[in-house]
Amino acid sequence: MLELLDINTYYGNIQALKGVSIRVEAGEIITLIGANGAGKTTTLMSISGIAPPRSGQILFEGRPIHDMEPDQIVALGISQVPEGRRIFPFLSVMENLDMGAFLRRDRDGIKADLEHIFEMFPILAQRRHQQGGTLSGGEQQMLAISRALMARPRLLLLDEPSLGLAPIVVRRIFDIIERINRESGTTIFLVEQNANLALKIANRGYVMENGRITMEDKAAGLLVNEDVKKAYLGI
Ligand code: ATP
């Protein structure tokens, strides 16, 4: 579904991604793990067109997207949930969700997706008229994911959904991520520092260090890999 082929991404003179190649199959959950500053967020930004690569190729369903604008990439079916759950704090829950559907014209489809989201996250239905900024951290993460789902993506990019949330809330969010993948077949690209949790729900994983991919395997394989255990699982 998605292929990153030898991409190099820079911020001015700083090279954040060095020859990164990643392959994502339709229907799977893949995770990219790595330490702070390894380049995980930049990888997602490169896919979504916010930090386009200077060289290399990104193909979505065989079509080059590395020269496209972010809104064109969303229109193709790729949505990103940014790190730090950047919702619109002064807009209501409903207005935040409407923003996620701004490229769509199919009113019936939008209504059906909204109902599905409210069934998945009943708390958002209860708080639909509340300002986004007044929600708890976990609720804001649910809203950020829901807003991305309102674009009806086939590929969902999730940046550190566990960041700053209590363990019990993180577990709920991860259950929902698995459910989204299972029920609607949405392909998930999950960036996480919480490697243990991420590898438990993923099919395959990549490890990133200093802008390079250093390991790639089935998630079950990475979970028992001695280097991964020592560096990322604290075992
Ligand atoms: P984190 O978990 O902290 O978000 P990360 O693995 O997602 O880390 P990136 O945020 O992609 O890492 O950062 C990769 C490198 O690029 C780091 O060295 C970082 O300092 C640098 N970087 C990130 N954003 C910018 C920017 N806007 N301008 C300059 N350098 C940046």
Side-chain angles (χ1 to χ4, degrees):
M1 178 180 237
L2 181 78
E3 254 186 312
L4 277 59
L5 297 168
D6 196 17
I7 66 163
N8 295 287
T9 302
Y10 292 75
Y11 297 105
N13 291 328
I14 302 165
Q15 184 169 9
L17 299 185
K18 300 166 186 161
V20 169
S21 295
I22 292 177
R23 181 176 46 85
V24 183
E25 306 287 348
E28 71 174 349
I29 301 181
I30 79 129
T31 186
L32 176 61
I33 59 174
N36 248 331
K40 305 181 300 299
T41 297
T42 305
T43 304
L44 294 188
M45 300 287 207
S46 289
I47 299 168
S48 58
I50 298 163
R54 197 174 285 178
S55 65
Q57 282 192 301
I58 303 179
L59 306 177
F60 181 59
E61 296 174 333
R63 181 173 179 175
I65 60 165
H66 46 266
D67 288 331
M68 289 187 181
E69 295 297 324
D71 60 325
Q72 293 177 295
I73 294 171
V74 173
L76 286 179
I78 302 179
S79 291
Q80 184 173 353
V81 181
E83 186 176 342
R85 38 188 179 274
R86 264 173 259 131
I87 53 149
F88 300 105
F90 299 112
L91 297 185
S92 71
V93 166
M94 267 312 294
E95 288 164 337
N96 266 279
L97 293 172
D98 286 343
M99 294 296 275
F102 81 104
L103 287 174
R104 293 175 63 182
R105 295 288 169 267
D106 56 324
R107 280 169 171 249
D108 291 347
I110 292 173
K111 197 161 162 264
D113 287 351
L114 198 59
E115 276 166 21
H116 186 218
I117 280 166
F118 283 157
E119 185 251 321
M120 232 176 349
F121 300 109
I123 192 75
L124 295 183
Q126 278 173 37
R127 303 196 191 287
R128 70 180 82 189
H129 301 301
Q130 205 167 308
Q131 275 194 350
T134 66
L135 301 178
S136 72
E139 290 160 3
Q140 288 190 23
Q141 185 60 264
M142 293 176 198
L143 180 56
I145 293 173
S146 301
R147 188 182 58 191
L149 288 177
M150 286 304 289
R152 204 181 264 193
R154 277 171 292 132
L155 174 63
L156 185 63
L157 311 175
L158 289 161
D159 197 353
E160 303 259 8
S162 77
L163 198 72
L165 299 179
I168 187 164
V169 181
V170 171
R171 229 162 294 133
R172 279 195 58 205
I173 299 278
F174 273 62
D175 283 347
I176 293 282
I177 295 169
E178 270 191 298
R179 194 175 152 192
I180 292 166
N181 171 258
R182 202 174 50 238
E183 287 182 2
S184 53
T186 311
T187 308
I188 310 264
F189 191 134
L190 171 65
V191 155
E192 257 298 339
Q193 269 193 57
N194 190 330
N196 191 31
L197 265 176
L199 289 170
K200 280 193 177 132
I201 69 162
N203 304 100
R204 292 187 307 113
Y206 290 82
V207 178
M208 183 168 250
E209 285 168 33
N210 299 318
R212 292 180 206 280
I213 299 294
T214 52
M215 259 186 268
E216 155 187 10
D217 198 356
K218 292 210 167 95
L222 290 174
L223 271 171
V224 295
N225 179 294
E226 289 305 323
D227 293 336
V228 173
K229 276 187 181 170
K230 248 185 255 146
Y232 303 107
L233 303 176
I235 305 173

